[in-house]
Every structure is written in structure tokens, then in C-alpha cells.
Amino acid sequence: HVTVYFDDIPYDVPMGMSVLEAARLVHIEIPSLCYLKDINEIGTCRVCVVEIQGIRALQPSCVYPVRDGLKIKTNTKKVRDARKAAVTLLLSNHHRECLTCIRNLNCELQNVADQLGVRNIPYTGEMQDYGYFSDNVFITRDYNKCINCRRCMAICNKIQECDVYSPLWRGLETVIAPAFKKDLSEVSCITCGQCVIACPTASLSEKECIRDVWKVLNDPTKHVIAQTAPSIQVTIGEDFNMPVGTFVRGKLVTALRRLGFNKVFATDVTADLTIMEEASELKERVTEHPERLPLLSSCCPAWVKFAEHFYPDLLPNLSTCKSPHEMCGAMTKTWYAQKYGIDPSTIVNVAIMPCTAKKYEAARPEMTSDGFRNVDYVLTTRELSRMIRSVGIDFDDLEDSKYDKPFDQFSSAGTIFGATGGVLEAAVRTAYYFMTGDEMGVPDYEDARGQKGLKYGNVAFGDRTLTIAIAHGAGNAKKALTRHLNGEKTFDYMEVMACPGGCVGGGGQPILGGKDQKRISLDYRHNRADALYNIDKGSKIRKSYENPVMQEIYDEFLGKPLSETAKKYLHTSYVK
Ligand code: HC1
Ligand code: SF4
């Protein structure tokens, strides 16, 4: 530890920290914009400047290290004026459409401007037009709201290792964009949306489809189904000011009914179905097709796209299972339609997902069943929050209600899908039974849990032990695959989630830093994941094959896992 003085008050802080981190540790608020801990520590926006005793020029606190005896002034007139000038300059070339902006009231720039008391912008001259791009189904880019903080670039390059963005041109012309300002669908973007989460303003956001969803909800000839991803039940509350990780399953279902959905289904059910198929696939590969090991999970569409771009030779190793939300779509337009006598052409399946990549996945040409699109629209968690707010529903005050039959019962193995390691843990619980004929006594598989970027373990299935690997964050997948391919650390089965933390950290989840800077440094993925594991702990049905709905679906429609019918509706293929 070292002793530093913030505004003459001594504090003991760990050595090696930046002044900004130290200040946040002791609850002194220094505003920042370009800073992202460990990822983007570049000191360019000048919003976090402080006075350091003995140095004439103000210093950006995010890159200035603490040392013993350091005396820092965080709140002098000079500091306040400099911060205000930096933000005023940013605003002078920013499309200030706050009232109609998708990030209104959840924008870091707006927040900082308010905090610093910016009330007029004297420098406004002619505004540049940097362009607006929305030619794909997942992410829009509005360069008139970009502040060149480079946070998108940092997360995409360093965490996702997709290298999509770089600074183009110089000076006032600069934009942070894909090469030649191409559309994200034309470059190596995997559609994960991590850049959207990292963006402090509305320069990057999800492509909304709220209007289309309202249209079908208002059409009485349509049978409109909502399906909710496992993670939504522990994240959407944050958009209504609840603490991170608050469990709101019952309110979520009620809100969707109030919005006018005819049925509300849990994607957790078809997560169980995915496990039935994927665990059978694992067993088949281990016993009959060892040449197709390792088995690689396929429920994360951003990871699938990553594999298609960067590891085309490994595509035969991907599980052929469609992801749970696609399976839900397929089952609603076939089995459910037949069972309940509903014309499948009138069914609209709207998936509520924490994810921008699900929008891309739903639009893939192969994701159809009997000529119908499996999933018609994908709303992110944030979009659903906006719909709920727009009709004046007091979310906090809603009573609980239950999902609709027949997609209402699920194992908590389906639920933990939403956290890194959850898919693999769920699969192990069922694969163990399929491979050995025995029940796993304690289904907890601790090696799969936690926020470590890469996790390894061994599982004994009778006399066969399999090495498993779990990666979250696309860059970690790259690491694991590199080690595997050069023989340094091989595995038989791997789960990959492209987003850090898995779906709880998805690109469509509530953005915390815009409303309240203090929430930026929260370990929110961890809290959200914990909430899912708590559900699992308290659940009676913890293995997918114990879910009674599985019995129903296989008896009435699919026959058995990997049957011809199952392959037709629940499995897919990939493109190099
Ligand atoms: Fe996920 Fe999945 S877990 S991918 O994170 O396999 O999006 O929550 O719905 O499909 O079940 C997302 C979450 C989700 C699918 C499932
Ligand atoms: Fe990079 Fe993901 Fe953003 Fe695409 S969506 S640009 S891969 S961070």
C-alpha cells in the first residue's frame, strides 16, 4: 500500500493503481469517458484530469499511477474548467438530439455534461456529417454521436480479437470504423454487440425492431408468442432501477402479457431440448465418431460466426444443434401448432434475448421449418424495457405470473445456460445419464463456474474421462483453440460463449454506466450469474431429461433424440 492525498485527505491505496482507480476505490468521483478498466486506458478524452502537486499541466488520472505521498486535487477551479471545456468541445461537434436519442437518460456523455454543469456550447459552428449506417439487422452506427473514445475498438480488438474497428482519416475527419467504412456485415464482425455495451453514447446501438413487434401485436389475425431467454429474468430488473441480479421471472411474464402477447414461453424449456440433443450428439461422437471430437457448442450465434470466419476447418466439430431460441421457434411452428390446432402461418415468434447476434441468427436463411421462419423477431432486453416503459407499466409493482403451457416447465439446467459454463454443466448432467445409465448424485459441476476466462476440467463418464474446456469472450476461445490445435492443451468438449460472462454479459443487456457512473465498475456479470446459480440451487428439477415437457415433445412429435424428425427441425449446418 501507499498513502496518497486526495484534496488533502490521506488514503491508503494499493500500489500500482491509477489515480482514477484509487479515487473510485475510496469513493471519490472523478468523471471519465474514454476509460475502460484494463481495456482502454489511453487518457485521450481529458475528462478525468486532476492536479498533481509539483506538475504544472493537468494530468489524466486514468493513466497516472499512484505513489507514496502523491498529492492530488480533484476539484479545483482549474480542474473543473478543464473538464468542462473538454466536454463542451465534444458536444460542439455532436448531434445533440437527446430527446429522441435511444440512449436518452442512459448516456455517459449526457451524464457527464450534466454533472459538470455544461449549460451552453459557445463553439458551435457548422457541424460535420459523419454518416449513419444501418444496413444490417443487428447494429446501427451513428458517427454523429461518436466521441472517438475508442472503447468499441478496444473491446473488439482486445477482448473479442475480431479487429473490426480502427481510426480512419485524421484530425476532425477521424472516425472509428471498419475498413473503408464498410458495413459490419461485410467485415469480420461476429455481431456480438460488445461494442454497443462499451459505447458511452448512442453511436452504436442495436437495430431496433420494436415497431414491427407492435404491428403484429396489434394484428388480431396473428398468434404472437414471446419467448424469454434464461438470463432476462435476472437482468431486466436493472432497467427499472432494481439491484443487479434481481430475480423477476414472474413480473417479466406479466409484463409481456400486458403488452398483448398471446402466449409467453420460456426459452429455458428448449434449452433443455438442446441439451437432450447435444448430450446425445456427445455420446454418439465419443462412441461412434471420435474423429469429430472435440465437440464444440453451438448455441451462441456470435461464436458460430467467429468459427465460420476464423476456424472454418473446425466447422465439422460444431454441434449441429440449433440454439434454444431457434428450437423454440421450430417447435412452436410445428408441434405446438399441430397440438393446439393453430395455423402456423399466423404464428409470430418473438424472442426476447440479451443479444444482438440473435437478431443476425434469426435472419440466417437456414433457420426455417416447413417454410416458416423459426423466429420472426428478436428484441434485446433493452428493447423490451423500452416497450414496457412506453405503455406506462410500473414494472416494480407487477404481480407475478407463470409461463404458458406447453413451454412452461423447465429444469434449472436450462436456466444456467445464461452464464458462462452453464451450457456445459447442463450437458454434463444429462450426458452422464445417457452415457452411464446412472444419475449424477450431486449435479453441481464447480469447475465450470466462475468468471475465469478459460476453464478446464475432467469428467468421468464411467470408464471414459473427457477433458472439457469453457471459454467466454471470443479472444479466450481463440486462445483455447490455439492451444488445442498445437497440442499444448487438448480437450474433447468445449463450450464457447462469445460475450464475457456468457449471455448475462450479452450485447443486448441493460447498460449500467449511462445512468450512474458508479455502476460502471460493478462486477455485474458475476452478480447476474450468481442469481442464475441461486435459481439452480433451489430447483427441484436440475437435469434436462427430468423435464416432463421433454417426455411430451419426444412422445408426441420427435420420437427420440437425433431422430430424423429431430434432425429436420432441430439441427442445422454451417458455412465456410
Ligand atoms: Fe442465451 Fe441461449 S443461453 S444463447 O445466453 O443457448 O441470447 O440468456 O437464450 O438460444 O437458452 C442468449 C441467454 C439464450 C439460446 C438459451
Ligand atoms: Fe466487434 Fe462484436 Fe462489435 Fe462486431 S459486434 S464490431 S465483433 S465488438
Side-chain angles (χ1 to χ4, degrees):
H1 278 77
V2 292
T3 303
V4 296
Y5 296 82
F6 283 114
D7 306 309
D8 300 327
I9 303 171
Y11 294 92
D12 278 345
V13 296
M15 217 152 52
M17 266 192 166
S18 67
V19 167
L20 179 68
E21 275 305 313
R24 288 190 175 160
L25 189 72
V26 301
H27 303 282
I28 291 169
E29 204 173 330
I30 296 178
S32 67
L33 279 175
C34 68
Y35 175 75
L36 268 189
K37 188 169 162 28
D38 301 329
I39 300 169
N40 203 42
E41 303 186 348
I42 54 174
T44 56
C45 76
R46 319 306 283 183
V47 170
C48 70
V49 288
V50 291
E51 271 188 70
I52 306 277
Q53 196 183 50
I55 303 183
R56 227 179 71 202
L58 295 174
Q59 298 296 314
S61 59
C62 66
V63 290
Y64 202 94
V66 294
R67 69 179 134 76
D68 205 36
L70 194 71
K71 295 195 166 68
I72 307 136
K73 299 273 188 196
T74 67
N75 193 17
T76 59
K77 180 171 186 314
K78 191 171 163 192
V79 164
R80 287 198 304 274
D81 287 350
R83 289 177 184 169
K84 201 166 170 176
V87 172
T88 309
L89 278 169
L90 284 175
L91 287 173
S92 71
N93 200 21
H94 185 88
H95 273 204
R96 302 185 299 277
E97 307 165 331
C98 298
L99 292 182
T100 49
C101 181
I102 199 167
R103 291 284 296 268
N104 187 23
L105 303 179
N106 188 10
C107 167
E108 290 181 41
L109 181 62
Q110 193 183 47
N111 233 345
V112 169
D114 176 58
Q115 190 187 346
L116 297 173
V118 179
R119 291 288 169 260
N120 65 334
I121 294 142
Y123 322 114
T124 324
E126 198 180 315
M127 285 234 191
Q128 300 252 20
D129 186 1
Y130 296 91
Y132 175 78
F133 300 84
S134 66
D135 283 344
N136 61 62
V137 297
F138 47 94
I139 290 171
T140 60
R141 291 175 295 138
D142 184 350
Y143 284 113
N144 292 316
K145 290 179 182 164
C146 176
I147 58 169
N148 286 346
C149 68
R150 291 162 165 70
R151 280 163 48 166
C152 53
M153 180 173 120
I155 205 130
C156 186
N157 295 2
K158 292 187 192 158
I159 304 294
Q160 301 305 67
E161 297 191 23
C162 292
D163 296 333
V164 167
Y165 298 108
S166 56
L168 303 184
W169 300 287
R170 293 283 175 92
L172 205 56
E173 306 290 312
T174 310
V175 287
I176 311 297
F180 308 110
K181 261 192 177 180
K182 282 191 173 187
D183 187 74
L184 289 173
S185 59
E186 299 172 310
V187 295
S188 57
C189 167
I190 59 169
T191 78
C192 66
Q194 283 303 303
C195 53
V196 174
I197 294 274
C199 181
T201 70
S203 184
L204 297 173
S205 53
E206 68 276 21
K207 176 82 152 277
E208 280 194 317
C209 60
I210 292 179
R211 259 205 236 172
D212 301 306
V213 173
W214 277 126
K215 202 161 152 205
V216 289
L217 284 172
N218 290 329
D219 181 346
T221 67
K222 300 288 188 208
H223 181 80
V224 192
I225 291 167
Q227 54 159 318
T228 65
S231 62
I232 312 288
Q233 58 192 322
V234 299
T235 60
I236 195 167
E238 294 161 23
D239 272 341
F240 300 95
N241 298 323
M242 296 176 179
V244 174
T246 307
F247 174 59
V248 292
R249 182 189 290 163
K251 292 183 195 300
L252 171 63
V253 176
T254 309
L256 287 161
R257 276 213 188 95
R258 294 253 187 115
L259 291 176
F261 285 94
N262 299 92
K263 291 285 156 99
V264 186
F265 294 157
T267 312
D268 313 39
V269 181
T270 41
D272 279 334
L273 191 57
T274 304
I275 289 301
M276 296 296 285
E277 295 293 320
E278 193 163 315
S280 307
E281 217 179 355
L282 180 65
K283 181 180 173 187
E284 192 185 75
R285 293 205 194 178
V286 168
T287 53
E288 292 165 43
H289 292 289
E291 77 284 359
R292 288 184 69 197
L293 288 173
L295 175 65
L296 306 173
S297 72
S298 64
C299 60
C300 169
W303 148 241
V304 167
K305 197 158 190 283
F306 188 81
E308 288 176 332
H309 281 301
F310 301 110
Y311 293 93
D313 293 345
L314 285 176
L315 294 181
N317 294 71
L318 277 183
S319 159
T320 58
C321 290
K322 288 179 185 169
S323 70
H325 89 119
E326 290 295 327
M327 286 198 184
C328 175
M331 287 298 97
T332 48
K333 295 193 181 180
T334 55
W335 172 62
Y336 167 78
Q338 288 162 26
K339 188 175 165 90
Y340 289 80
I342 302 166
D343 174 357
S345 72
T346 66
I347 297 180
V348 181
N349 192 305
V350 181
I352 321 296
M353 296 283 131
C355 180
T356 45
K358 293 281 176 198
K359 287 178 183 275
Y360 154 80
E361 183 187 30
R364 285 181 71 128
E366 62 275 24
M367 289 299 168
T368 57
S369 300
D370 297 342
F372 299 113
R373 198 135 277 296
N374 293 330
V375 171
D376 299 277
Y377 300 106
V378 173
L379 294 168
T380 59
T381 319
R382 297 190 292 271
E383 285 172 276
L384 178 62
S385 304
R386 287 178 209 131
M387 287 181 75
I388 293 172
R389 274 205 308 270
S390 74
V391 293
I393 292 173
D394 182 351
F395 191 81
D396 209 357
D397 197 45
L398 290 175
E399 72 283 9
D400 287 348
S401 54
K402 291 197 171 6
Y403 286 107
D404 288 301
K405 275 189 187 336
F407 295 96
D408 59 336
Q409 294 185 71
F410 44 88
S411 81
S412 56
T415 301
I416 59 173
F417 257 61
T420 163
V423 176
L424 195 130
E425 182 168 345
V428 163
R429 292 178 189 179
T430 291
Y432 188 86
Y433 179 61
F434 285 0
M435 292 210 238
T436 66
D438 292 330
E439 302 266 341
M440 248 178 127
V442 180
D444 298 73
Y445 185 44
E446 298 290 343
D447 285 352
R449 301 186 186 181
Q451 297 297 311
K452 226 172 105 198
L454 261 180
K455 296 171 268 189
Y456 291 96
N458 293 304
V459 189
F461 296 93
D463 52 10
R464 179 70 207 259
T465 298
L466 297 183
T467 303
I468 56 104
I470 295 162
H472 58 119
N476 284 323
K478 204 182 248 184
K479 266 186 214 96
L481 288 170
T482 308
R483 285 185 198 166
H484 177 81
L485 292 171
N486 69 22
E488 195 188 315
K489 185 114 182 87
T490 59
F491 47 78
D492 304 299
Y493 181 24
M494 174 160 80
E495 173 202 301
V496 182
M497 287 293 180
C499 291
C503 296
V504 291
Q509 294 285 29
I511 297 177
L512 295 175
K515 273 189 197 136
D516 177 359
Q517 283 238 318
K518 279 190 205 129
R519 292 174 105 182
I520 288 182
S521 45
L522 280 182
D523 192 359
Y524 62 90
R525 296 184 186 100
H526 180 91
N527 294 343
R528 292 170 179 171
D530 271 2
L532 291 178
Y533 286 110
N534 277 338
I535 300 173
D536 180 45
K537 217 182 339 181
S539 161
K540 284 203 194 75
I541 305 180
R542 300 183 66 195
K543 298 165 192 141
S544 300
Y545 60 90
E546 291 175 347
N547 175 354
V549 182
M550 295 302 107
Q551 198 76 46
E552 217 178 317
I553 294 182
Y554 282 105
D555 283 355
E556 293 177 14
F557 189 66
L558 296 172
K560 59 180 191 348
L562 306 184
S563 69
E564 278 313 303
T565 320
K567 285 202 171 134
K568 179 172 174 200
Y569 293 115
L570 305 183
H571 292 256
T572 185
S573 56
Y574 306 102
V575 282
K576 280 202 180 189

